[in-house]
Amino acid sequence: MTRPVATRKFGEKREAIIHAASVLINEYGVQATTLAEVAKAIGLNATSVTYYFARKEQLVVAVYEETLSSMEQMAAEALEQPDPASRLRHFIASHVAMRARIRAGEHGLTTALSEIRTLEPEAQDPLMAHYLRVVDLVRRFFGEWSSNEERALFSARAHILLEAMMWWPVWSLQYSARDFPRIEDRLFDILAHGIPAVRGAFAPAALAGEWRTQVDEEAGQNEAFLRAATVTINQRGYRGASVNRIAESLNVTKGSFYHHHDAKDDLVLACFRHSYDRMSAVQMAGLDIAGDYWSRLASVLAELVDLQFFDSTPLLRTTALQALDPAHKINVVTRSNRLARRFAGMLIDGIADGSVRTIDPLVAGQVLMSTVNSAYEARHWAARFGATDDAVRTYLSVLSDGMIAPSA
């Protein structure tokens, strides 16, 4: 008769361990989260935690599974709604409500998925398969596709929506929870209906600048390190991007690495600075061209997404943010917010000249940041297009047309 009670207690304690680990991973990253720290957070000793999870990686996998299961449930509930607009609104509302619960004191409800790629393949592969199930549910928000082109469009919508919801916890810190209902409405409006005053308007101009990788010139060694580190971190995450792996990709020694950078964290910060410098340069080039402000913004977005899709040195994904210590993390987020505010300024000017709908520019600026950031993950998707312009146009149609616009 006592077995159900014992089973329930085991499950409750296991859940408490997962939630404590989730909080620590969100705050300090996987590498800095230890079983001892998790045990301390809930008043246990490390030996007691190993009764539930023999190795740290088992606990990390359980944390990620919990988040993926929550995302899957939210997507499945949204899919039950009667039409694309209702599904989109329900999904956004679920994520905003979760953040409100966390702000109210509930912990461990969700974990940033940024370090899944740092896990060994036997742990990583099932998690990635679970994430793809979530993607498929979200892709179906927009209906059943009748062609490969329509499926590609719905995939882009799903990808951008999921990335916007995963970036929301970072920038939500700028707002009071009392503002969340308004933010929810603004997010829905931007994602559902797009940005330009004329739906579907998208005529980007070429921008001139030196942010592209020069394949015909020999890169300096420091630039080569930045390129190799950015690509490796984007592909494998912070932990997977070992100094050995970065050095080997360049056929140099570890000593050469440490000649340029005191530690791997210094290299990650240099990669962020390099990426944000390039992004800033593209924004400024867009501001210098003629035309209305939506045309200028469309030109900036097209150039940045093209960089993410096709340049040999992409922008560093914010997945690396999770592994940085809190002080460095704040600095990186501050720089990101400055870039988002520059987007917001362009949107304000676009509202003034009539080329941009009346939307919340601060919220839209964050959506633009997550859309550009997430484009790297869509490289394989973009490679299926015959022309690079078609890939960029289809991807950014999510912003120029909105997610609930009928497909062409």
Side-chain angles (χ1 to χ4, degrees), residues 105-163:
E106 290 190 51
H107 297 298
L109 295 177
T110 184
T111 309
L113 301 175
S114 54
E115 294 188 87
I116 283 181
R117 283 196 171 85
T118 69
L119 301 175
E120 294 300 319
E122 59 269 20
Q124 180 187 144
D125 291 349
L127 292 172
M128 293 304 296
H130 195 166
Y131 179 72
L132 290 176
R133 293 201 300 273
V134 176
V135 172
D136 187 60
L137 286 172
V138 176
R139 180 166 47 221
R140 294 179 185 279
F141 287 4
F142 311 105
E144 293 297 326
W145 48 88
S146 58
S147 65
N148 289 335
E149 290 76 16
E150 194 169 47
R151 187 182 191 277
L153 172 62
F154 292 176
S155 294
R157 290 177 178 178
H159 181 69
I160 289 172
L161 174 57
L162 283 165
E163 287 287 340

Side-chain angles (χ1 to χ4, degrees), residues 4-5 83 177 190 212 246 256 272 275 282 297 351 363 393:
V5 175
D83 54 68
I190 292 160
R212 292 268 177 180
I246 295 168
S256 179
F272 269 120
S275 292
V282 174
L297 184 55
I351 293 169
V363 174
R393 182 177 295 276

